[in-house]
Amino acid sequence: MSIEFRDDDEFVDPGVSCLRCDAVCCRLTVVVMPEDVVPRHLVERGVNGLDVMARGEDGWCIAVDHTTMSCGIYSQRPEICRKFAMGSAYCREERETYRQQTLKGIPLTLR
Ligand code: SF4
């Protein structure tokens, strides 16, 4: 297995793939910046006053396509989503948290 590094020298695990994931990163709070071109009906005001991607009752971003568990507005997704690196430490941490919660039957928490 090869080791990959991104521009910022962060280790990226090449064994991690969005194709084998339940889009767990799409449960995180996604701040929408003014320059993002996200359809406005998918945006809500967060508790801290910032615009964020709205979420469904299941906790996932409202833009998730649940048939494919992928982004339903991929070409219009916010910049913060574009920067989230598949296989990065943050990605791996979220996947592990989700796996543990699923194994224990713990209700999913929102962040
Ligand atoms: S906008 Fe797309 S990539 Fe970003 S959290 Fe929502 S579904 Fe995921």
Side-chain angles (χ1 to χ4, degrees):
M1 179 180 296
S2 64
I3 296 175
E4 297 178 17
F5 290 90
R6 292 175 56 87
D7 292 344
D8 56 5
D9 283 346
E10 179 183 19
F11 169 68
V12 173
D13 183 345
V16 173
S17 170
C18 293
L19 297 177
R20 296 185 302 277
C21 181
D22 289 344
V24 297
C25 58
C26 299
R27 296 188 308 145
L28 299 170
T29 298
V30 173
V31 175
V32 178
M33 303 303 288
E35 56 270 26
D36 287 325
V37 292
V38 175
R40 298 310 294 179
H41 69 280
L42 303 177
V43 177
E44 64 186 14
R45 184 61 45 92
V47 291
N48 52 10
L50 296 173
D51 285 344
V52 296
M53 289 300 295
R55 291 197 250 193
E57 291 182 8
D58 59 7
W60 266 263
C61 173
I62 200 76
V64 166
D65 178 340
H66 284 269
T67 59
T68 60
M69 290 312 285
S70 61
C71 182
I73 57 163
Y74 191 76
S75 65
Q76 296 176 290
R77 69 196 188 284
E79 187 65 23
I80 195 171
C81 301
R82 297 170 191 268
K83 289 182 174 172
F84 195 92
M86 179 176 70
S88 65
Y90 195 8
C91 168
R92 298 193 307 274
E93 179 184 316
E94 286 306 312
R95 287 166 61 102
E96 179 58 20
T97 298
Y98 177 71
R99 191 182 74 81
Q100 292 293 333
Q101 289 176 333
T102 303
L103 285 175
K104 294 175 182 172
I106 297 172
L108 301 176
T109 57
L110 302 181
R111 293 197 201 175

